[in-house]
Amino acid sequence: MNRRRRIYEGKAKILYEGPEPGTLIQHFKDDATAFNNKKHDIIDGKGVLNNRISEFVFEHLNRLGVPTHFIRRVNMREQLVREVEIVPLEVIVRNVAAGSLCTRLGLEEGTQLPRSIIEFCYKKDELGDPLVAEEHITAFGWANPQELDDIMALTIRINDFLSGMFAAVGIRLVDFKIEFGRLWEGDMMRIVLADEISPDSCRLWDMSTGDKMDKDRFRKDLGGMIEAYQEVARRLGILNESERPVTDGPRLVK
Ligand code: UDP
């Protein structure tokens, strides 16, 4: 059996050493977790869908000139990516009020925000990824002011692209989380988009019914998670006829 060196194992992904120096294999697992690992389940087929959806998004971003770690998908569950030094921040973009923003500020879920809001959380599981300000980020050196500028500028472009991409297929991009890394090319360093963009890391609502098509189906025990992820993939044109499940089609459970 092929014994690859495992570099890192997270909740939903594993990183293995890649075929060449400076590359890694990003493997998507079927594990679903929520509430900082307190809730855990295996959702058959989720990893395959997230791999395909994330590939689709990262390819488009690469083509638009948004630098990412993505090189290519290598199989159903894995993609070849560039090795980066992850900036220890979760960058959250919100277009519509949901989740922790509603709890924190007493907003009603679904309230359109006056403009898109970017938030930062410090990536530290033991602390539950606390919300932090730019001041903390630069004072503690998690990113310098130039890097933070690059992160903000890229984040705005990514939100614009994703909002349009999902709107075109009848999906409202409520919010999402992204991560960035430092890519070293000789002495030069650039900030690039890393990790994944999938229904695990976005809130996606059907524009006409308001149905949730993302990980909230798992968080809130709504059922029909895989069908919802399949529907996202199908609308984006990722699943072709032969790959559709042999049923009478995906159905969202209310
Ligand atoms: N998110 C994520 N990973 C996290 C925390 C949040 O992917 O560890 C995503 C989440 O799916 C949502 C957005 O970031 O699309 C905003 O999440 P929020 O802060 O509302 O936290 P939650 O309500 O999910 O705890």
Side-chain angles (χ1 to χ4, degrees):
M1 213 186 113
N2 181 12
R3 284 257 163 253
R4 292 177 298 185
R5 198 158 71 89
R6 187 183 312 201
I7 308 283
Y8 172 82
E9 178 152 7
K11 291 170 219 153
K13 292 190 294 294
I14 307 173
L15 290 174
Y16 294 101
E17 195 171 54
E20 290 150 36
T23 65
L24 297 174
I25 295 290
Q26 178 164 260
H27 176 108
F28 289 76
K29 302 192 284 185
D30 283 339
D31 297 64
T33 64
F35 313 119
N36 206 7
N37 246 341
K38 288 187 197 78
K39 186 175 162 93
H40 176 257
D41 208 346
I42 303 287
I43 310 287
D44 270 343
K46 178 175 79 75
V48 171
L49 283 160
N50 282 352
N51 186 24
R52 296 294 296 269
I53 295 170
S54 201
E55 169 199 18
F56 181 85
V57 173
F58 275 65
E59 282 240 299
H60 276 83
L61 289 170
N62 275 345
R63 255 182 262 150
L64 285 175
V66 172
T68 82
H69 73 158
F70 180 82
I71 302 173
R72 64 175 173 276
R73 183 170 64 85
V74 290
N75 60 44
M76 292 296 275
R77 283 189 184 275
E78 295 177 331
Q79 37 186 252
L80 180 67
V81 300
R82 288 187 204 288
E83 183 170 24
V84 298
E85 180 188 310
I86 289 286
V87 175
L89 296 174
E90 301 205 328
V91 181
I92 291 173
V93 183
R94 301 179 181 278
N95 300 308
V96 176
S100 66
L101 183 72
C102 294
T103 327
R104 214 181 321 129
L105 301 184
L107 297 172
E108 192 184 337
E109 187 177 77
T111 310
Q112 183 72 43
L113 299 173
R115 61 177 175 81
S116 303
I117 295 173
I118 301 179
E119 294 175 347
F120 299 99
C121 294
Y122 177 44
K123 251 171 85 79
K124 197 83 178 162
D125 274 346
E126 308 91 280
L127 302 175
D129 301 336
L131 186 70
V132 293
E134 285 181 43
E135 283 283 285
H136 301 103
I137 297 171
T138 50
F140 292 114
W142 300 324
N144 68 35
Q146 176 61 55
E147 290 171 335
L148 207 44
D149 270 3
D150 291 349
I151 287 174
M152 297 274 256
L154 290 172
T155 298
I156 291 165
R157 288 179 68 192
I158 293 164
N159 184 42
D160 285 347
F161 167 71
L162 288 180
S163 297
M165 182 193 82
F166 282 120
V169 296
I171 296 174
R172 195 170 179 204
L173 177 62
V174 171
D175 58 30
F176 62 96
K177 184 268 299 181
I178 45 181
E179 294 182 24
F180 291 90
R182 297 182 184 94
L183 178 64
W184 291 93
E185 287 161 333
D187 283 347
M188 292 283 291
M189 185 278 290
R190 310 193 270 163
I191 292 287
V192 303
L193 179 68
D195 195 48
E196 70 176 304
I197 295 182
S198 73
D200 267 10
S201 55
C202 302
R203 282 199 172 90
L204 304 170
W205 295 353
D206 184 289
M207 270 186 181
S208 45
T209 63
D211 279 347
K212 296 183 195 306
M213 306 174 76
D214 55 57
K215 203 165 104 175
D216 271 351
R217 300 208 73 84
F218 171 73
R219 292 190 191 97
K220 295 173 186 271
D221 289 322
L222 299 173
M225 182 184 187
I226 213 69
E227 290 80 359
Y229 283 36
Q230 267 165 356
E231 177 62 11
V232 172
R234 193 193 62 77
R235 287 197 199 178
L236 292 173
I238 297 170
L239 292 187
N240 61 37
E241 291 301 328
S242 61
E243 283 176 291
R244 284 202 196 152
V246 199
T247 63
D248 53 1
R251 210 160 20 93
L252 282 181
V253 180
K254 286 227 181 201

